[in-house]
Each structure stands twice: as C-alpha cells, then as structure tokens.
Amino acid sequence: MIQALRGMKDIIPPESERFLYLLKTAGEIARRYGYDYIETPLLEETALFKRSVGESSDIVGKEMYQFIDKGGHDVCLRPEGTAGVVRMFIQNKLDRKGGVHRFYYHGPMFRYERPQKGRLREFHQFGCESFGEESVYEDFTIILMIKDIFDALGIGYTIKINSLGCPECMPGYRESLVSHLNDIRDGLCEDCQRRIETNPIRVLDCKVESCQALLKEAPVITDKLCEICDRDFRTLVRLLEAHALPYELDPKLVRGLDYYTRTAFEFVSDEVGAQSAIAGGGRYNRLVEFLGGKPTPAVGFALGVERILDLVKMPEAGRQGIYLGVMVPEALDTVIDLAHRKRKETKVFTEYAKRSLKAHLKAADRLRARYCGVIGEDEMKAGEIWVKDLETKEEKRIAVDLF
Ligand code: HAM
C-alpha cells in the first residue's frame, strides 16, 4: 500500500476543523493589526534561500528539497516564508514606494529534517511580515499580536527574547566569541568546531550538553550592543514588563536563520513536547537590501500550525442546520428542492433513502442538526413537512413553501 511520505501528514476531520479555525482566528487578528493577505509560490530559486536564510544554516545546508527542474533551473520547495515575501516585495517595487507594508500568509513549508513529534518534513506556518517600520514599537506590536492569537486559541506560552545586534556591534561581539570558542575548541563537538569558522553565533544554541557546559563563560551579545541596539532592546523589555507578558531573556537565542538583526524572539510552550518553539521571529533590517532592494527595515514572525493544533480550543459548536428525510420515496423531489433553497441560509443534510421517523430522528441527532424535517404520506398530500426542533423538542407541521 502506498503511504504518505515520512514526515508528511494528512490533516483530516476533526483536526482539520481546528486547522481552519486556527487560520481564520489568526487571519482575523492580523487584519486588525493592519496586515493584508498574500500568497507566494511554494517553489523558488534555490539561490533565494542560500542568500537569505544563509548557506551555513542547517536549513539550507542539510534540509532543502532541492532539485533541477526540466528547464535546468536550480529550484527548491520553500523551507520558510520570509525569503519569498521579501522577493515579492522587491519584485513588485514596493521597496521604492516607501511607507509601511504589512502582509500575512499561511501555507506549507518543507524541511528535510529527522521527523519526530512536532517536527515534520511538510508543515504549515502562519506568518506576518512588516516592512518599512524602523521603530522597536513595531517589534513589540508584533509580539502583542502573537499574544492575542495564542490567547484567542487558548494556548499558554513563554516568550524568549534576545538582541542579535547590528553591523555596528555584531562584528565586535563575533570576534570576542570566536576568541573564546578557540580557547575551548578541543572540548566542543565536531559540528561546533566547524561552526567556529562558518557561523560562530550558531555554536551558542548547540544542543549538546558538554558544549553548553563549556559555553557558560562565553561572552554575551546583550553586553556588547551598540547604543541604538541597546536602547531598543531596553525599550522592548520595558514594554514587555509594562504589559505583564511572560518573558525570559535568553542571550543564547540565535535562531536557525541568518537574516536577523536586533530583536529575535521565540514563543515556547511546555505542553507540546521536546519541540517547544511554537512561534519564532524577529527583525531583519538588512535582508531587503541584501536581496537587491532598497534598504528597508523589516520585522516578522511565523507560528508552527501543527505544533499547536492539538491544543487549539474551539468554541463549543451547538446544534446546526437542518436534516431532511422522507418516509415515502415520492416526496424526495420536494426534499431536494427544499434542501437547495435552505442551503442559501444554513447547512442542510439530506437522506435519500426512505426511513422510519425514528430512524430519521436518530440520524439527525447523530449529525448534530438543529432541526429534523420529514415528509410522510400525510404531509405529502397536504403539501406540508413535519419539523422537530431538536433543541427545544418542539414539533409542528408547516407548509413546505413556508418552511
Ligand atoms: P522558524 O523558527 O524556522 O522561523 O519557524 C517558525 C515556526 O515554525 C517554529 O517556531 C515552529 O513552530 C515551526 N516549525 C519549524 N520547523 C518545523 C518542523 N520541521 N515541523 C513543524 N513545525 C516547524 C521561520 O521560519 C521564519 N521565517 C520566521 C520569521 C518570519 N521571521 C521573520 N519573519
């Protein structure tokens, strides 16, 4: 039997109902914050992700679904959404227009990772990207929006935040970090030893315990920020405090993508297992320019849909719609016409087979319909339908035309 590929999942009822509810809720909240919906292609030039996410990142180095298409182009399935949105932003010359542009999107992302609970090879993100706003208040507003989304879905979280500095302060920090890493090089795992040359900042979030033990004395980025980065980071922390958001400073939070400057954050949950990051994001002031656009500050985030799907709390759905059935086959045409008319205002279930009244009532109850309408011999002759309100238990016969 052919099965879905490893790390790829069908989303079927009732989970698919929570999936739709999540996207609808998050989308409505994003719109209230001024974000407009966009779609970008699933397939992009590989070079886009190499340049933005970074060649030395695990995502680009190890996890891309990359191939040469029939036209000889090096393409890949998007491993994340930001790079494609930035490409779209530049391609549509929005960088030349000035002003602030805010977009939200959702859809599948692909990473060839080792599958485990909460870690898939095809997964869905809901994300937002804001362009043209330099102020750290925009970073905070995005964090508030994520809070609103998780609150609306009934999901608890803690926020980890860090600042990754800017081209003013990051190189100096990187130098002091590399010097420290060289001192402890022999004790580090093989991956980290390699990263000292390729991407030393990533050593900070190595998951190997012995590496973490050695990193206790490592210099901390937030001690080395330049004046502006430091001012913004303090403002952000002050705002998180003022709004009583549950946060933790995490100077080792470096994120798995290379495009961040200043604010970096992750929302984590202790209810989802080892893969605890349920959303991640931050500021990426250099990326638009790096991909060939006019320098434009930007900040954004994405949340992992599958990671939170089990936890999404939906409002209790009461009885809904109308169930229609017949006790005499000749009444079926009337039921079909009636169903078509009623579908303009509500959900309608139709049963084509002739059944007893008891059987129809049972079926309507199982479908959680609000009303059960049945046409028997007498009703047919009178041009009527027998209707029971399954909530109030009220029963009556009414003219088909008036129902
Ligand atoms: P990311 O942290 O790589 O950031 O992914 C965002 C979220 O997607 C994660 O917090 C996690 O919930 C979910 N996720 C990531 N990988 C997997 C996986 N293999 N299986 C299931 N869920 C996963 C980004 O992708 C950035 N583009 C976010 C961003 C937008 N930064 C700025 N703007």
Side-chain angles (χ1 to χ4, degrees):
M1 197 195 41
I2 298 176
Q3 307 245 342
L5 295 175
R6 204 161 114 77
M8 305 207 173
K9 257 185 66 180
D10 303 309
I11 302 176
I12 61 173
E15 204 180 33
S16 51
E17 288 302 313
R18 287 200 298 279
F19 181 89
L20 281 180
Y21 177 74
L22 186 164
L23 294 182
K24 182 170 159 272
T25 305
E28 277 169 10
I29 292 171
R31 297 182 82 83
R32 272 186 245 152
Y33 277 81
Y35 288 77
D36 293 323
Y37 183 67
I38 50 160
E39 285 268 350
T40 64
L42 264 57
L43 212 53
E44 296 269 7
E45 249 184 73
T46 302
L48 174 66
F49 300 104
K50 282 196 175 162
R51 262 198 257 163
S52 53
V53 176
E55 292 216 52
S56 60
S57 68
D58 282 356
I59 295 179
V60 168
K62 304 182 187 164
E63 299 170 0
M64 297 240 277
Y65 279 87
Q66 181 184 356
F67 60 97
I68 305 297
D69 75 5
K70 292 193 200 307
H73 307 105
D74 187 348
V75 298
C76 69
L77 287 169
R78 61 182 184 192
E80 59 103 47
T82 309
V85 177
V86 173
R87 181 207 41 72
M88 174 287 292
F89 183 74
I90 301 167
Q91 192 174 333
N92 287 280
K93 302 194 171 53
L94 300 174
D95 55 330
R96 319 237 143 229
K97 268 195 175 163
V100 180
H101 302 263
R102 298 189 180 90
F103 305 107
Y104 75 98
Y105 54 89
H106 49 77
M109 309 290 158
F110 301 84
R111 296 183 191 175
Y112 198 85
E113 297 198 72
R114 202 167 40 78
Q116 63 177 77
K117 183 171 162 26
R119 198 204 274 149
L120 294 158
R121 288 180 174 171
E122 182 186 18
F123 60 97
H124 294 75
Q125 285 185 348
F126 174 93
C128 287
E129 313 292 348
S130 163
F131 295 96
E133 185 49 85
E134 171 89 58
S135 167
V136 69
Y137 280 81
E138 185 75 350
D139 308 29
F140 177 68
T141 303
I142 283 211
I143 290 175
L144 260 190
M145 171 169 65
I146 308 169
K147 167 201 154 51
D148 283 355
I149 293 173
F150 286 139
D151 285 354
L153 298 170
I155 290 167
Y157 55 82
T158 316
I159 308 163
K160 291 189 171 178
I161 64 155
N162 193 18
S163 174
L164 295 174
C166 70
E168 277 278 304
C169 47
M170 188 39 130
Y173 170 70
R174 187 178 292 121
E175 224 168 85
S176 62
L177 178 66
V178 167
S179 144
H180 177 80
L181 294 177
N182 276 323
D183 291 346
I184 56 169
R185 175 183 282 267
D186 293 345
L188 294 172
C189 73
E190 252 178 54
D191 270 348
C192 283
Q193 292 193 8
R194 190 173 35 78
R195 285 185 191 125
I196 299 179
E197 274 78 46
T198 58
N199 197 347
I201 309 297
R202 286 305 306 279
V203 173
L204 292 175
D205 81 342
C206 177
K207 301 289 175 284
V208 177
E209 248 172 61
S210 50
C211 289
Q212 278 308 325
L214 284 171
L215 286 167
K216 285 216 169 76
E217 304 295 317
V220 168
I221 172 83
T222 40
D223 291 342
K224 312 259 177 192
L225 297 175
C226 64
E227 205 182 318
I228 297 176
C229 290
D230 188 52
R231 183 202 62 197
D232 279 1
F233 191 54
R234 283 171 194 273
T235 304
L236 185 59
V237 171
R238 182 176 58 72
L239 289 167
L240 292 168
E241 284 281 347
H243 287 77
L245 289 174
Y247 77 94
E248 258 169 44
L249 300 181
D250 182 356
K252 294 210 166 78
L253 178 77
V254 297
R255 312 273 298 120
L257 311 102
D258 288 352
Y259 47 64
Y260 294 107
T261 49
R262 295 195 186 144
T263 309
F265 60 81
E266 254 167 28
F267 279 61
V268 294
S269 158
D270 52 16
E271 293 172 76
V272 294
Q275 299 304 310
S276 61
I278 54 175
R283 187 164 269 285
Y284 48 97
N285 284 350
R286 309 250 298 152
L287 187 54
V288 176
E289 183 182 8
F290 203 59
L291 290 176
K294 215 174 131 191
T296 309
V299 55
F301 86 97
L303 65 79
V305 172
E306 283 84 353
R307 290 222 176 138
I308 55 171
L309 212 44
D310 286 349
L311 302 178
V312 168
K313 287 170 203 72
M314 299 226 296
E316 187 66 44
R319 292 187 171 280
Q320 249 185 37
I322 306 167
Y323 170 99
L324 295 174
V326 296
M327 289 164 71
V328 281
E330 300 76 41
L332 201 50
D333 285 18
T334 308
V335 157
I336 296 296
D337 288 347
L338 187 55
H340 187 233
R341 171 150 64 82
K342 281 293 179 192
R343 279 199 185 99
K344 302 215 166 26
E345 48 190 83
T346 187
K347 180 170 175 179
V348 179
F349 310 94
T350 45
E351 171 57 65
Y352 306 134
K354 168 187 142 194
R355 296 263 162 83
S356 69
L357 184 62
K358 201 171 149 206
H360 281 311
L361 281 165
K362 212 166 147 192
D365 185 50
R366 217 177 25 240
L367 290 164
R368 307 257 323 133
R370 169 77 191 262
Y371 300 98
C372 176
V374 178
I375 304 184
E377 182 108 40
D378 290 355
E379 289 84 4
M380 201 180 75
K381 281 188 189 141
E384 291 178 343
I385 180 167
W386 176 89
V387 181
K388 179 167 181 178
D389 182 335
L390 297 177
E391 208 153 277
T392 64
K393 311 287 180 219
E394 187 192 342
E395 301 172 18
K396 60 181 171 198
R397 270 175 65 163
I398 42 178
V400 169
D401 294 345
L402 296 178
F403 183 53

